[in-house]
Amino acid sequence: MADPVNRAASHGYALAESLFEVRGDDLCVGGLAVRSIVSQVGSPAYIYDGRQMRRAYRRLAGALGGFASIYYSAKANPAEPVIRLFLDEGAGVEIASLGEYRAAIAAGAAPDWILFAGPGKRRQELEAVIEGGIGEVHIEGMDEIERIRSIGRPVRASIRINPVPAVQVGAMRMGGKATAFGFDEEELEAAVAAVTTASNIKLVGIHVYGGTQILDAAALVGGWRHAIELAGRVARMAGRPLSTVDLGGGLGIPYYSSDRPLDLDAVAAAIPDLTALMGSEPLLAGARAIVEPGRFLAGEAGLYVSEINAVKQSRGVRFLVLEGGMNHHLAASGNLGQVIKRNYPVVAPAHMAAAADLPATVVGPLCTPLDTLARDTGLPDLRAGDLVAVLQSGAYGLTASPVNFLSHPQPAEVLVEDGRIHLIR
Ligand SMILES: Cc1ncc(COP(=O)(O)O)c(C=O)c1O
């Protein structure tokens, strides 16, 4: 068996080669060497590859074969040019706040193609999106029904349902247990009754978000099947047809050497069955399915790159201290939903041809041992001034991180498309 250092390191290097391009010593994104991008925009930086985002979108659209519309979940990466890119591919947008609504509108989204979910929508947010126009509000609780009823203006809405435990899937589970997200499946009848008696709310669909980082195609499809069955039940309870069945997001990407990518062929193979299931319920005859992934569309396209500020040795461990750490990339430090800390794939983007066999622990500049981006990984013999890149960083990166903690400067964010660098933040 390969030793753990080499296994983890080779995972990062194999991933870098499959997602991007390696030319000699250089990892290249969109045809440009990472080191030259950093020399222009400074370190640390998030670098996103537009081509890779489009590729992820097209792969998913191909697997779905027209069965479901794709809405990009803006929380994964709310930078306007990223949202615009997915709009350009044909996506709608799923938002979780007025801030994301404004970003979607600024990116050019048609209000009708925006869905608003989230357990704590404030009255002011609801008023603003209803005023500006919104495709659907996904109602998450009785208070929200009351809030929308009291706003009084007509709204299309879906009921968000927290499914029974039997259909729990994914890593960070957001459905199937006690959660603040949506109505428990067990109280569906009361939810449907309350929504359908509010005269300004038009019930158009249901929404089920089972969990994130799902790599098991059978579990994903099982969740979708359950959501379609729930939609049929809700339509029958309401006594009216539904027009949308939002199956949620949660499609995973491989972070760790033990992860296998989601099998999109298996997802594609299940589509005829899911289509038949929708077709078997007369009240869903005119309904369209929706998926709302974030991580799958944006995650693989992004790198977080930082210069090494210092190299130090402590009791046999070689530490590479970067200019940024969990303040820029909380997820890579394992403090955003990971139960057991495992390393995100890291590479040396300007030393790709060198053997990555020197054990190193990659840390950030914060005064806490939590600020560890990769423990006991394998990297070349790097020095202060060299670069380290964390892969799989296009989703839940900068905007999911405590950027003000210790008041370090924020990293640049750039989108590379057609051989050009667009500074996006
Ligand atoms: C309601 C909802 N939709 C979509 C997403 C996107 O999830 P993912 O990035 O796992 O696809 C999330 C993530 O938390 C969510 O809460």
Side-chain angles (χ1 to χ4, degrees), residues 75 94 117-119 121 137-141 157-163 174-175 179-185 187-188 191 205-211 292:
K75 63 177 72 62
E94 186 265 334
K121 304 178 197 76
V137 172
H138 290 171
I139 301 184
E140 312 240 358
S158 282
I159 294 178
R160 181 167 177 181
I161 305 167
N162 173 23
M174 294 179 66
T179 74
F181 311 107
F183 294 91
D184 289 346
E185 186 176 329
E187 58 171 16
L188 211 46
I206 63 126
H207 173 212
V208 178
Y209 180 87
E292 46 175 36

Side-chain angles (χ1 to χ4, degrees), residues 320-332:
L320 306 181
V321 186
L322 305 188
E323 293 181 326
M326 78 178 216
N327 51 332
H328 297 165
H329 201 337
L330 184 68

Side-chain angles (χ1 to χ4, degrees), residues 34-127:
V34 166
R35 76 168 113 187
S36 90
I37 298 172
V38 174
S39 73
Q40 291 177 59
V41 303
S43 157
Y46 273 93
I47 301 173
Y48 310 121
D49 182 0
R51 195 173 44 182
Q52 187 59 41
M53 288 182 179
R54 292 183 192 278
R55 182 173 164 261
Y57 182 93
R58 289 172 197 179
R59 287 183 61 227
L60 179 58
L64 294 171
F67 164 70
S69 311
I70 301 175
Y71 283 62
Y72 171 57
S73 182
K75 63 177 72 62
N77 188 330
E80 268 169 48
V82 171
I83 299 175
R84 193 172 300 120
L85 181 150
F86 289 119
L87 290 173
D88 183 49
E89 288 293 317
V93 190
E94 186 265 334
I95 56 139
S97 68
L98 182 54
E100 288 185 358
Y101 179 79
R102 290 184 176 136
I105 295 289
D112 273 2
W113 277 79
I114 302 177
L115 310 174
F116 187 11
K121 304 178 197 76
R122 285 173 292 145
R123 184 183 177 91
Q124 175 218 359
E125 294 183 289
L126 286 164
E127 281 172 348

Side-chain angles (χ1 to χ4, degrees), residues 339-408:
V339 180
I340 300 165
K341 158 109 186 88
R342 290 183 293 175
N343 290 342
Y344 268 44
V346 293
V347 299
H351 293 83
M352 296 299 286
D357 54 4
L358 196 59
T361 288
V362 180
V363 300
L366 306 191
C367 304
T368 162
L370 295 179
D371 191 11
T372 301
L373 296 186
R375 192 170 288 141
D376 288 327
T377 190
L379 281 167
D381 186 7
L382 300 175
R383 305 293 151 93
D386 286 334
L387 298 175
V388 171
V390 182
L391 306 180
Q392 308 296 70
S393 299
Y396 306 109
L398 185 59
T399 56
S401 302
V403 286
N404 293 325
F405 190 34
L406 265 66
S407 304
H408 286 287

Side-chain angles (χ1 to χ4, degrees), residues 185-275:
E185 186 176 329
E186 302 84 317
E187 58 171 16
L188 211 46
E189 210 138 341
V192 173
V195 169
T196 49
T197 50
S199 59
N200 62 322
I201 303 179
K202 179 171 185 206
L203 177 64
V204 295
I206 63 126
H207 173 212
V208 178
Y209 180 87
T212 192
Q213 187 47 13
I214 301 162
L215 289 171
D216 178 347
L220 183 73
V221 168
W224 289 359
R225 170 173 281 281
H226 186 69
I228 295 168
E229 285 162 2
L230 281 174
R233 272 170 52 196
V234 167
R236 287 193 297 277
M237 281 175 197
R240 67 171 72 148
L242 297 183
S243 49
T244 57
V245 182
D246 187 337
L247 307 170
L251 289 76
I253 59 173
Y255 288 94
Y256 314 115
S257 49
S258 55
D259 285 345
R260 291 288 144 265
L262 178 66
D263 182 353
L264 281 186
D265 291 340
V267 173
I271 296 300
D273 220 41
L274 295 170
T275 308

